[in-house]
C-alpha cells in the first residue's frame, strides 16, 4: 500500500499575511492548475475605529495579466461589528475561471484591520487520489 501525506491531497497558500492592515492588500498570483476546489479562509481579528476590509477573489489566464472579479467571489465587508471570526468561501475549479487567482482585501476607513487570508486547494473529486487513504 502506498502511503500518502496530507500535502498530496491539499495545498495551503497564505494569500494575505496576518497583520494589522491600514491599506488595500493584494496577494501574489496563485496558480490553481491541477486542483479541484479552492477554499478561501478570511481570518478576521479585532478591527478598531472605522477600519473596514472587503475581500474578493479575482482570476486571470496569465499570472501577470489583468485580473477580473469572480462572480460570487466577494465576502461581506468586515468592520468592528462583525470582526473576530473566520469567513469561508469556496470556488469550484472546473474550468469556469481562469488558471490564476489573486485575493484582494480593499481597505477603507481610518482604524485598523487585523486579518489574514489563506487559500486551501483540494484535489478534484474525480482524482484517483481523492479516494485514497493517507497518513498525517
Amino acid at each position: 500500500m502506498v502511503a500518502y501525506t496530507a500535502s498530496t491531497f491539499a495545498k495551503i497558500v497564505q494569500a494575505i499575511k496576518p497583520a494589522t492592515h491600514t491599506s488595500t492588500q493584494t496577494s501574489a498570483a496563485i496558480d490553481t492548475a491541477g486542483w479541484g476546489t479552492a477554499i478561501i479562509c478570511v481570518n478576521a481579528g479585532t478591527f478598531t475605529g472605522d477600519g473596514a476590509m472587503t475581500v474578493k477573489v479575482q482570476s486571470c489566464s496569465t499570472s501577470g495579466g489583468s485580473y477580473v472579479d469572480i462572480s460570487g467571489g466577494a465576502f461581506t465587508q468586515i468592520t468592528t461589528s462583525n470582526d473576530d471570526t473566520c469567513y469561508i468561501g469556496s470556488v469550484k475549479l472546473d474550468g469556469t475561471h481562469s488558471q490564476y487567482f489573486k485575493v484582494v482585501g480593499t481597505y477603507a476607513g481610518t482604524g485598523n484591520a487585523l486579518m489574514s487570508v489563506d487559500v486551501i486547494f483540494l484535489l478534484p473529486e474525480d482524482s484517483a487520489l481523492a479516494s485514497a487513504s493517507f497518513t498525517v
Side-chain angles (χ1 to χ4, degrees), residues 90-127:
S90 66
V91 177
K92 190 82 168 160
L93 303 174
D94 57 4
T96 305
H97 308 290
S98 298
Q99 178 177 343
Y100 294 92
F101 278 11
K102 281 190 178 181
V103 176
V104 179
T106 303
Y107 174 82
T110 57
N112 294 318
L114 175 62
M115 52 88 61
S116 67
V117 179
D118 298 310
V119 181
I120 303 167
F121 291 98
L122 303 174
L123 284 177
E125 293 173 8
D126 62 352
S127 167

Side-chain angles (χ1 to χ4, degrees), residues 3 22 30 58-59 77 94 102 106 126 129 132:
T22 57
I30 303 167
Q58 299 180 321
S59 71
Q77 184 180 61
D94 57 4
K102 281 190 178 181
T106 303
D126 62 352
L129 291 176

Side-chain angles (χ1 to χ4, degrees), residues 2-126:
V2 177
Y4 297 103
T5 63
S7 63
T8 304
F9 299 92
K11 174 176 89 167
I12 301 173
V13 175
Q14 189 178 59
I16 297 177
K17 295 184 181 204
T20 299
H21 300 289
T22 57
S23 63
T24 294
Q25 304 294 307
T26 302
S27 74
I30 303 167
D31 190 352
T32 68
W35 297 101
T37 303
I39 300 171
I40 298 90
C41 302
V42 179
N43 302 298
T46 302
F47 283 41
T48 62
D50 68 349
M53 189 70 78
T54 303
V55 176
K56 64 182 176 181
V57 182
Q58 299 180 321
S59 71
C60 184
S61 59
T62 62
S63 63
S66 297
Y67 284 76
V68 296
D69 294 351
I70 291 177
S71 178
F75 290 80
T76 300
Q77 184 180 61
I78 305 165
T79 65
T80 56
S81 66
N82 62 346
D83 60 356
D84 290 320
T85 195
C86 184
Y87 295 90
I88 304 290
S90 66
V91 177
K92 190 82 168 160
L93 303 174
D94 57 4
T96 305
H97 308 290
S98 298
Q99 178 177 343
Y100 294 92
F101 278 11
K102 281 190 178 181
V103 176
V104 179
T106 303
Y107 174 82
T110 57
N112 294 318
L114 175 62
M115 52 88 61
S116 67
V117 179
D118 298 310
V119 181
I120 303 167
F121 291 98
L122 303 174
L123 284 177
E125 293 173 8
D126 62 352

